[in-house]
Amino acid sequence: MQLLDGVLVAKKIKADLLQLVKAEQDKGKRVPHLAAVLIGDHPASASYIKNKIRSCAEAGYESTLIHRDSSITKEGLLEIVDGLNRNEAIDGYIVQLPLPRHIDEQEILLAIDPKKDVDGFHPMNIGRMVIGLPAYVPATPLGILKLIEHYRIPTEGKHVVVIGRSNIVGTPVSLLLSRKAYPGNATVTLCHSKSTDLAEMSRKADILIAAIGTPHFVKADMIKDGAAVIDVGMNQIADPASKKGHRLVGDVDFEGVSRKAAYLTPVPGGVGPMTVCALMINTWTAYTGKIYG
Ligand code: GUN
């Protein structure tokens, strides 16, 4: 079984980005600049943002963190978004989700200038992606594509089964893998909580992508021998033996599945670092103006 090492691949891509940034600096140009908006003190969000800011430094980018209390009003947040849209020194920015319940996420995402939407969450970018126009692709799906590409996993004519239909992962990754491209040209089945024959379907997968949010949901008897299994799960479970009292596990039963799969992502260290790395790729794309000029 080949482990799909997201730490290693992300490190390589960030090192390549750093070289590109240095070449720009040598020409006297400024470096890419990513801003991140964090509202409240959701522990997982704070940890994701910390990783994103650290990755900026690794790629040679400038970063700005805007952190506000969860009591901020919708109008207050819209003002920040408007400021970032107008700020020419910022190439791209993200508004970390989830937002406090009194703020409508869709309203905020719609206010982000699509040119700066390096998360790829704006309907303009989603629509462009669907019809095959250049677009910012959401970070987790892009990270998964980069991982597949790095390990040269064949996708053409293969059966990909995606479990989970979220806007951020399941839906976009299923569309991307059916596109006329590599990675892509696959036959894709999108399963979800209302699917009745899930295990039967997942056993047919050459590539299985688990984005459910349930610890150890995918067991060895749900996969085909030799499948590539990509685990998007980030579930915190109680672990009295660990110092923190909890640990991170995926949606896949790693132990069991590793005996049958040909390729498998670990958690942590698989898709997680690739997601952050993909955000760095999108920020570079924003800096170069390749999508919107
Ligand atoms: N919350 C969980 N994942 C993400 C992500 O990729 N981007 C943002 N902005 N929020 C998230």
Side-chain angles (χ1 to χ4, degrees), residues 45 48 52 94-98 119 121 139-140 168 275:
S45 292
Y48 295 151
K52 289 170 185 178
I94 62 162
V95 177
Q96 188 66 26
L97 306 178
D119 253 334
F121 292 169
T140 302
I168 297 182
T275 294

Side-chain angles (χ1 to χ4, degrees), residues 37-40 42 45 70 72 77 95-109:
V37 181
L38 174 63
I39 306 299
H42 195 272
S45 292
S70 58
I72 192 168
L77 182 50
V95 177
Q96 188 66 26
L97 306 178
L99 291 172
R101 255 187 287 176
H102 65 276
I103 299 178
D104 178 2
E105 281 184 359
Q106 284 309 321
E107 194 175 339
I108 301 301
L109 296 181

Side-chain angles (χ1 to χ4, degrees), residues 2 5 31 39 41 44 89 109 116 124 127 152 176 185 196-197 209 219 249-250 269 272 275 292:
Q2 167 77 59
D5 187 342
V31 302
I39 306 299
D41 38 35
L109 296 181
K116 295 193 174 188
M124 170 82 98
R152 299 193 170 90
L176 290 162
N185 281 323
T196 51
D197 49 0
I209 301 179
K219 303 277 196 286
V249 298
T275 294
Y292 291 99

